Amino acid sequence: MRVAGGHSGAYRRVVLTLAQRSFSLAGGGTRSVRLQLSARALALLERSGVLSTRAAFALHGATATISSTSAPLTLRLAPASRAPTHG
């Protein structure tokens, strides 16, 4: 996953790899994939609270064909969980 709109400082556009992972998937199937953000991506998300990005996927077929696709994605920082109070 790469971001081409991460704003920092004087609103300059940068390309930053937020996370990456390889996985296998049977044709026609779906599955959730959990990604761990890089330290730099997490710092950027904590500073801004929200990142608008594009998720990019490279697809490798059984016949060694390669294609790619991407989709818009918005990352939001989850609210801090509060410890239960006992009283």
Side-chain angles (χ1 to χ4, degrees), residues 54-87:
R54 295 195 66 81
F57 304 94
L59 312 168
H60 302 271
T63 59
T65 58
I66 299 174
S67 62
S68 62
T69 188
S70 65
L73 180 68
T74 301
L75 301 175
R76 288 185 177 82
L77 194 60
S81 61
R82 295 178 46 154
T85 57
H86 299 285

Side-chain angles (χ1 to χ4, degrees), residues 3-77:
V3 61
H7 298 296
S8 63
Y11 294 104
R12 60 192 168 103
R13 188 169 284 226
V14 296
V15 176
L16 173 67
T17 299
L18 302 177
Q20 63 184 18
R21 181 174 182 179
S22 296
F23 60 95
S24 296
L25 181 63
T30 61
R31 88 183 243 199
S32 296
V33 178
R34 186 176 293 240
L35 301 173
Q36 184 171 351
L37 293 178
S38 67
R40 187 171 175 193
L42 186 56
L44 185 61
L45 182 59
E46 287 175 340
R47 186 169 52 232
S48 66
V50 64
L51 288 176
S52 294
T53 185
R54 295 195 66 81
F57 304 94
L59 312 168
H60 302 271
T63 59
T65 58
I66 299 174
S67 62
S68 62
T69 188
S70 65
L73 180 68
T74 301
L75 301 175
R76 288 185 177 82
L77 194 60

